[in-house]
Amino acid sequence: MDFHTRYTNVCRLFCLSMQVVWGLDTVTLLNPPEEPLPDHLLEVLYSCDEPATVKLDCIVSFDTGITSTLLLGQWGCVPGDSKVRTVELGLPDWLVYQADGIVPHSQWVLSCILRASVRHTAHDDTEGSVAAQDAAALQPKPNFGRPVKRHRLCISWSARMLQLTPQFLKEQCPVERETVHLLSSIYASTGERFGITKTLGPYSSEVLEHLRVEAVPFAWCSFSIWVFVTGRCRESMCGVFHHIDSDNNYATPALFLTTSGQLHVQMNGGSRESSAVLSPFTVPVGEWCRLGLTLRGGAVTVSMVCVDREQRTSRSTEHVLRHAVSLDDTEGYFVIGGGNYVRGMEGFFGPVVYYRNRASPRSTFEAVLPDVIQDADLSGWLRTCRELRLDLAAKIRGYSLRAKRTTESDTCFDAFHQWMIEDRAPSDSQCEQWEATAPHRRQAAKLSKLLAFKHGGKRVSWPAVGRALYSLSLHRLARAGSTGAVGGVLPLLLQAGCLADDRALRTASVLYSAGLGVGKRPDKAWLLALLAAQRDDRLALLHLGHLHLQGLHGLPADPDLAYAYYANIAKQTTLDRQNPTPEQTFVEAVYLNHNEELDLQTSEDHHIFQWLKLQARRGAAEAEQAVARMLFWGQQGVSPNIQKAVRHYERGAVQWEDPVSMYDYGIVLLQGQGVEKDVPKAVTFLKKAKDQGFVPAINALAWYYEHFERDYEQAVQLWEQADLLESPDAALNLGVMYSQGLYPGKAADQYMAYKYYLKSAERGHIRAALHLADIWTTGLPGRVNRRPSDAVLWVKWAAEHNGYLGSVLRKALDSYLQSDMFSSLLYYMVAAESGYAAAQFNVAYLCEQNSGRFLDPAFASNCMWRYYNLTIQSQNPDTDALIRMGDLMYEGQVDGQKDLFPAAEMYKLAALRNNPQGWYSLGRLAEEGYRLPLSVLSELGLSELYLADTSFLLSILYKRCRDSEDTDSYLPCSLALFNVYLQSFQKDYSATIKLSTAVAVVAAPTIFLIVLGVVRRRFLSRS
């Protein structure tokens, strides 16, 4: 035994002897149950060194974050030998038994801790009054896993009434609504195959449900639909509102808009009869109109009321059919706008109301614009834009004629230079009437004149002036580099938006939404986003999807409406990826606080990219792949250049025989991207890549056999092989084969297709996510239930891969790397308002850093809080955002007061994802005296430490911090852990240290005299 071990044992023995001599308060639970049990006999061993009280408690934690302490018993303790007391554990019935009317319901119980404690002050619940304690964790059972309490056979009348009471107290509306608001907001319809899907369930009331079922063959109901048409239907019919049954056929009602603007209404009868009526009136363009459809058995009334300022125009027609109209509104689904089988109308949809089992109570002549339409004031915006366009049209004609006359003269000069001279020099000539310009439109007039002279008198279009205004606005904002310029630039953006520049509408919407340099105007921001989205602007669609998914800016949360927007851009994302353009960039989630990611950003002239090109020339296959990928998709700061990327694919495939390059080269040859299409050559390289075991090449060859050879058996065989190797493309294509009935020897099977779509989507395939979401939106009758909340998350994920979003993110990152903080903030805000989590984090980070004080401190503080808060609400928030939000709550930057419970919740979420800072911050909270809630510890798997010594809890938290995979956190976490050990040692052995010091002080003189005597004897003997 070495000296250290011997010394440790001696110290422990000494401490133990001191405890025996001095006496200690002790308490121990001898036989605690593993779960809450009825009438359990618990034995408690206890002792005390002075009169005290022994308390037995049960600490229960609920899922709501509430912790409740239940007193189960208490008794006195007198000094003396240890005693054992047997206590009947009287746990409450709601914790032990199932709820049955007499036993009440309880909230969901997360944890239950049994605690026995010795207290010298019976009525003091502070930690200082606890002399000793012991605890045991009981595992609570869910409600239906608990036993049923056997009550007395002859229960009292009052108990029986109490048991029957819940049957009459079910939570339900006293009067069930027969009016269904299918749409409560405004929906911007692009005229494509996208719309809002809604389903209805049966009534909860047996009476109403009976009446509904009885009325199915004899429909008695009405629909009210507000529409604003912006353009005539480009096909024979466009969808306004239609009903699809479980067999994917049109059911009652189906309301379409024809090319002439008339309403086409289809209805079905009970015996497979169908009828259609055509309205004699047309729906006007550019006005809000309320379309009404009323069904009364065999009578159909189609009405329209249009409101333009104070004028109202009413039309109505009634038809009596040969058969009664049948309508089962719980079968299938309703669609507002376009769907899988028809394109939607171009324009806007307002509130849509369905009156079940009754006709509309409102007369067609009493239609009043709903509040949501009045607040948006779409008509007022369009009137202003119409005036601007008429004004500019006159100026463009005048300037074009003047420029044409100047061009036809024999004098040759620089038109722009001459215009600048004439514009600045004083002139005695009178301006023509069309040249008079309002001050706020002066810049648009100047640009119109410049463009007219630049093109030599050729007619200049409105969009050209709008693009010029937008470019000028961005130039002024970048040059100013602060919010001070926003007020002067915003009118130019609004005018550019009037002149059909969607980017200007989107940018102005972001400025109003974020309050960057202007007062916050959520209503104005929403209107501008609607206008841009209706013109199919991808980021505006993404923005509106985010608003309605989260229910922001006072808009109702509507996953079906959000799905309509997300599905539109998600579908375009799949098409954009097949046809990449220089305007698109690969979406990269780069966080500005991650220096490692920033160091990887490069460009064509950067040393990293040049080094990769050098390695590629030397035959490094991975470098060749990286260079080609950067050039093809525009990754890591490199501008997209498909032709250059193809040359790298070719070199990697031909010279280095790299299977990845052979696959990529084969794909571009097969599709003719950046190179002339050459199918035989493509197949040759794909086969070579397949022979080397490259799984995507197997899928690509199967696609070739399907599309070019029509050999479905060979295609399916290859796809099955690739699916076993977890290829997402293979699973998608097998799903398509099952869906379309092309799988050899098997009939069409939508459920099998669904299973393959689900598998492919979980492997990360965008198109598969769209197919899966489409099924979850409508459901498969009898096989797959409708899951709109999950469907919208899949299309959101797919939409956030759009290359136009990637382009905005790239501009933001490039501006940041060039120290142009304001431009970076503006671009990141565009992406952040679209709901992209990485951009939201970066906006908060830029506002927090506020480099160079380019933002007002008050705005920067609010901006930081708002966007960190938005970040943590995303589906998979960044842990750094959780930590930062926890810090803000801890520091009291929200309302000036520390909010420790939400801070602990943020740190807990970060710790659950193994972020060392989360564990460390929880430790700091505990170290400062804050008792971590039982709900927090339970989710961390540490519920048994709720009553543990603080030092022990800290050691566990800091150990988990230290043992995380982050090497940077090892040292600070280790130092914190060492500090805990040091304080614990000082606390545990302080008495021993003091006694040893006292003994040493007392014995020192005696020892000194003895040593001195021994030395003197030896000295004298030698003498």
Side-chain angles (χ1 to χ4, degrees):
M1 182 181 296
D2 59 5
F3 173 77
H4 177 73
T5 305
R6 188 176 303 165
Y7 175 77
T8 303
N9 291 337
V10 169
C11 289
R12 289 179 177 174
L13 181 62
F14 176 77
C15 293
L16 182 61
S17 63
M18 296 298 291
Q19 292 174 0
V20 171
V21 172
W22 292 342
L24 289 177
D25 301 294
T26 61
V27 63
T28 305
L29 300 173
L30 297 178
N31 62 334
E34 294 183 357
E35 61 187 46
L37 295 177
D39 304 327
H40 178 77
L41 297 179
L42 177 69
E43 295 180 353
V44 183
L45 174 67
Y46 64 97
S47 65
C48 53
D49 60 353
E50 59 182 78
T53 300
V54 182
K55 295 185 69 174
L56 182 64
D57 301 317
C58 180
I59 303 173
V60 182
S61 171
F62 302 97
D63 62 341
T64 57
I66 298 174
T67 301
S68 178
T69 302
L70 310 173
L71 178 63
L72 302 181
Q74 66 179 25
W75 59 91
C77 174
V78 295
D81 296 334
S82 300
K83 303 178 183 63
V84 177
R85 186 181 182 99
T86 302
V87 181
E88 183 176 335
L89 200 60
L91 295 173
D93 287 348
W94 54 262
L95 185 60
V96 179
Y97 299 105
Q98 288 188 29
D100 61 0
I102 297 178
V103 176
H105 282 277
S106 71
Q107 296 172 328
W108 189 268
V109 178
L110 291 179
S111 62
C112 176
I113 296 178
L114 199 63
R115 177 180 66 179
S117 59
V118 175
R119 300 170 183 263
H120 291 296
T121 305
H123 303 290
D124 188 0
D125 290 333
T126 61
E127 290 190 16
S129 68
V130 179
Q133 66 177 359
D134 188 25
L138 311 185
Q139 183 62 41
K141 284 189 173 183
N143 183 52
F144 292 105
R146 303 173 187 172
V148 178
K149 184 172 183 178
R150 295 186 177 182
H151 302 281
R152 292 185 305 167
L153 291 178
C154 298
I155 60 175
S156 64
W157 177 85
S158 59
R160 180 57 181 165
M161 291 299 100
L162 183 63
Q163 193 174 23
L164 294 175
T165 298
Q167 299 180 18
F168 304 100
L169 294 180
K170 291 182 180 179
E171 295 183 2
Q172 60 181 12
C173 299
V175 178
E176 193 160 12
R177 286 183 174 272
E178 296 181 77
T179 302
V180 182
H181 294 268
L182 299 176
L183 178 62
S184 302
S185 186
I186 298 178
Y187 168 55
S189 174
T190 60
E192 299 171 284
R193 295 180 184 272
F194 304 104
I196 305 170
T197 303
K198 293 287 184 179
T199 58
L200 298 177
Y203 286 112
S204 299
S205 167
E206 295 181 0
V207 175
L208 289 177
E209 180 60 14
H210 174 74
L211 293 175
R212 187 194 68 80
V213 173
E214 289 292 320
V216 166
F218 196 81
W220 194 276
C221 59
S222 60
F223 299 85
S224 170
I225 308 166
W226 282 94
V227 296
F228 188 101
V229 180
T230 57
R232 291 299 182 195
C233 183
R234 302 179 185 180
E235 297 187 354
S236 58
M237 287 190 294
C238 293
V240 176
F241 183 84
H242 57 276
H243 182 198
I244 303 294
D245 64 17
S246 55
D247 296 324
N248 291 327
N249 295 319
Y250 285 115
T252 303
L255 183 63
F256 304 101
L257 198 64
T258 65
T259 54
S260 61
Q262 294 174 283
L263 291 173
H264 175 96
V265 187
Q266 292 181 193
M267 293 142 295
N268 296 338
S271 303
R272 295 187 177 181
E273 298 176 292
S274 62
S275 300
V277 299
L278 190 66
S279 68
F281 51 83
T282 61
V283 180
V285 175
E287 293 182 27
W288 277 110
C289 297
R290 175 183 176 268
L291 307 181
L293 176 63
T294 303
L295 306 177
R296 295 185 178 89
V300 179
T301 302
V302 182
S303 62
M304 179 185 72
V305 179
C306 296
V307 181
D308 185 17
R309 294 189 182 183
E310 301 300 327
Q311 298 181 352
R312 281 174 171 74
T313 306
S314 301
R315 299 286 187 274
S316 180
T317 181
E318 186 168 347
H319 300 267
V320 178
L321 308 180
R322 300 188 308 272
H323 58 83
V325 177
S326 174
L327 170 59
D328 185 354
D329 56 17
T330 63
E331 183 191 17
Y333 56 92
F334 294 97
V335 179
I336 302 170
N340 293 330
Y341 311 106
V342 65
R343 298 174 69 95
M345 72 163 207
E346 293 184 26
F348 301 89
F349 286 90
V352 178
V353 182
Y354 169 37
Y355 301 92
R356 303 177 80 177
N357 292 0
R358 61 193 181 96
S360 172
R362 181 178 296 176
S363 170
T364 58
F365 298 98
E366 298 176 354
V368 179
L369 278 177
D371 292 340
V372 66
I373 293 179
Q374 294 187 47
D375 294 341
D377 195 19
L378 175 64
S379 301
W381 165 270
L382 294 179
R383 281 195 300 269
T384 304
C385 289
R386 195 177 303 118
E387 294 172 2
L388 173 64
R389 290 177 178 177
L390 290 174
D391 184 26
L392 282 185
K395 289 177 172 53
I396 289 173
R397 283 195 300 268
Y399 289 134
S400 297
L401 289 173
R402 185 178 295 175
K404 188 175 182 181
R405 288 196 299 266
T406 305
T407 304
E408 291 174 351
S409 66
D410 296 332
T411 306
C412 180
F413 64 94
D414 185 343
F416 176 72
H417 178 70
Q418 185 71 17
W419 170 74
M420 292 293 293
I421 295 174
E422 293 177 355
D423 185 63
R424 296 180 181 179
S427 174
D428 296 332
S429 61
Q430 295 293 326
C431 292
E432 297 186 37
Q433 185 176 1
W434 56 265
E435 290 186 273
T437 305
H440 63 283
R441 297 178 182 174
R442 190 169 297 155
Q443 197 63 56
K446 285 185 177 181
L447 289 174
S448 301
K449 184 177 181 180
L450 173 62
L451 291 174
F453 278 87
K454 178 181 178 181
H455 295 290
K458 295 181 180 179
R459 181 61 61 89
V460 178
S461 64
W462 293 332
V465 179
R467 289 192 296 269
L469 277 171
Y470 176 70
S471 299
L472 177 63
S473 302
L474 291 187
H475 176 71
R476 288 187 175 180
L477 287 174
R479 186 175 59 186
S482 67
T483 58
V486 174
V489 168
L490 188 58
L492 303 183
L493 289 173
L494 296 177
Q495 291 172 25
C498 273
L499 300 176
D501 193 287
D502 305 334
R503 300 167 301 170
L505 289 172
R506 179 213 311 153
T507 305
S509 173
V510 169
L511 294 176
Y512 277 123
S513 179
L516 182 63
V518 293
K520 275 193 176 183
R521 290 282 305 276
D523 55 339
K524 190 79 170 181
W526 181 47
L527 169 64
L528 298 174
L530 284 170
L531 292 164
Q534 199 279 322
R535 297 174 185 169
D536 212 17
D537 181 81
R538 289 162 175 77
L539 295 187
L541 292 167
L542 202 59
H543 174 52
L544 289 174
H546 173 62
L547 289 181
H548 288 287
L549 179 62
Q550 300 289 344
L552 303 176
H553 296 341
L555 298 175
D558 188 342
D560 294 321
L561 178 53
Y563 180 89
Y565 289 123
Y566 280 132
N568 190 330
I569 185 175
K571 177 65 175 179
Q572 294 187 78
T573 299
T574 61
L575 300 176
D576 292 340
R577 290 170 72 89
Q578 294 175 4
N579 302 283
T581 62
E583 291 77 22
Q584 302 178 55
T585 305
F586 189 82
V587 177
E588 296 175 284
V590 179
Y591 289 83
L592 297 183
N593 65 327
H594 293 175
N595 293 326
E596 298 84 358
E597 295 180 356
L598 296 179
D599 292 340
L600 293 176
Q601 302 307 309
T602 181
S603 64
E604 291 83 346
D605 300 325
H606 196 272
H607 67 275
I608 294 179
F609 188 73
Q610 294 299 323
W611 181 82
L612 286 172
K613 289 178 68 176
L614 175 62
Q615 295 300 312
R617 286 195 297 269
R618 292 177 176 176
E622 293 183 356
E624 195 79 82
Q625 298 168 18
V627 172
R629 183 182 65 251
M630 291 179 186
L631 288 169
F632 190 88
W633 295 107
Q635 292 181 344
Q636 295 179 228
V638 178
S639 300
N641 192 321
I642 297 177
Q643 286 74 21
K644 286 185 179 180
V646 170
R647 289 200 290 269
H648 285 279
Y649 287 146
E650 182 180 11
R651 184 167 65 184
V654 177
Q655 294 187 27
W656 318 131
E657 296 185 350
D658 172 45
V660 178
S661 296
M662 287 192 287
Y663 165 76
D664 289 328
Y665 189 47
I667 292 297
V668 296
L669 286 171
L670 200 61
Q671 298 183 348
Q673 293 179 329
V675 67
E676 187 176 350
K677 192 173 184 178
D678 191 337
V679 175
K681 189 176 180 180
V683 173
T684 301
F685 280 105
L686 290 174
K687 286 182 177 179
K688 288 182 179 180
K690 171 184 173 295
D691 293 340
Q692 294 191 38
F694 193 59
V695 177
I698 303 175
N699 176 80
L701 280 174
W703 186 85
Y704 162 77
Y705 282 114
E706 181 207 4
H707 285 79
F708 291 90
E709 302 291 340
R710 301 296 178 184
D711 188 347
Y712 296 134
E713 292 187 3
Q714 180 69 17
V716 166
Q717 181 181 353
L718 289 171
W719 275 327
E720 294 283 7
Q721 178 186 347
D723 180 51
L724 294 176
L725 299 173
E726 298 189 350
S727 166
D729 291 286
L732 167 68
N733 288 309
L734 288 172
V736 172
M737 298 294 280
Y738 272 108
S739 176
Q740 298 180 357
L742 299 177
Y743 198 104
K746 297 184 180 181
D749 189 336
Q750 300 303 322
Y751 182 67
M752 281 297 295
Y754 159 75
K755 292 170 68 176
Y756 276 106
Y757 292 151
L758 177 60
K759 185 191 301 185
S760 178
E762 290 175 342
R763 292 173 183 172
H765 202 288
I766 295 177
R767 280 183 55 208
L770 291 181
H771 287 295
L772 175 66
D774 188 54
I775 292 176
W776 275 349
T777 300
T778 59
L780 291 178
R783 306 301 296 271
V784 179
N785 293 328
R786 188 169 183 259
R787 298 169 60 177
S789 298
D790 293 326
V792 72
L793 293 179
W794 275 113
V795 289
K796 179 181 185 294
W797 171 80
E800 288 181 345
H801 286 78
N802 190 269
Y804 290 91
L805 173 63
S807 179
V808 171
L809 293 171
R810 171 49 52 187
K811 291 177 182 177
L813 184 56
D814 288 343
S815 298
Y816 177 79
L817 296 175
Q818 296 167 10
S819 300
D820 185 358
M821 298 303 170
F822 183 79
S823 296
S824 178
L825 178 68
L826 181 59
Y827 284 122
Y828 272 129
M829 273 187 171
V830 171
E833 291 297 319
S834 300
Y836 192 65
Q840 291 171 340
F841 178 89
N842 289 340
V843 169
Y845 181 81
L846 287 170
C847 291
E848 182 179 13
Q849 298 297 314
N850 198 12
S851 301
R853 298 291 180 181
F854 73 101
L855 294 174
D856 176 71
F859 175 83
S861 178
N862 292 331
C863 165
M864 173 183 63
W865 161 254
R866 177 174 184 256
Y867 284 98
Y868 275 137
N869 192 27
L870 287 172
T871 306
I872 65 172
Q873 295 177 37
S874 61
Q875 190 176 2
N876 188 27
D878 183 75
T879 54
D880 288 340
L882 295 170
I883 295 295
R884 196 66 194 99
M885 276 299 295
D887 292 343
L888 292 176
M889 293 170 178
Y890 171 79
E891 295 164 2
Q893 293 194 20
V894 180
D895 53 5
Q897 295 182 348
K898 287 188 175 184
D899 205 346
L900 298 184
F901 178 73
E905 285 288 329
M906 295 293 105
Y907 297 146
K908 174 204 70 179
L909 293 174
L912 286 173
R913 294 171 59 182
N914 204 29
N915 184 301
Q917 184 66 42
W919 295 108
Y920 184 85
S921 298
L922 287 171
R924 296 298 298 173
L925 283 178
E927 209 166 349
E928 293 179 8
Y930 176 68
R931 169 169 280 185
L932 297 180
L934 184 56
S935 58
V936 171
L937 294 175
S938 297
E939 292 192 51
L940 294 172
L942 302 175
S943 58
E944 68 278 2
L945 301 181
Y946 179 68
L947 299 174
D949 181 68
T950 302
S951 299
F952 185 61
L953 173 61
L954 288 173
S955 66
I956 296 298
L957 294 175
Y958 289 141
K959 278 181 182 179
R960 296 201 177 184
C961 173
R962 180 198 63 186
D963 297 339
S964 65
E965 298 178 357
D966 188 358
T967 55
D968 294 337
S969 64
Y970 184 84
L971 181 58
C973 296
S974 298
L975 290 175
L977 183 61
F978 176 74
N979 183 53
V980 171
Y981 285 152
L982 192 62
Q983 292 181 0
S984 179
F985 178 83
Q986 183 181 2
K987 176 183 177 182
D988 294 341
Y989 296 102
S990 59
T992 305
I993 294 172
K994 291 179 181 179
L995 179 62
S996 301
T997 304
V999 171
V1001 171
V1002 173
T1006 305
I1007 296 173
F1008 176 76
L1009 292 175
I1010 294 173
V1011 172
L1012 182 60
V1014 172
V1015 171
R1016 289 182 62 187
R1017 286 195 198 98
R1018 289 184 179 180
F1019 179 76
L1020 291 173
S1021 62
R1022 289 180 181 178
S1023 300

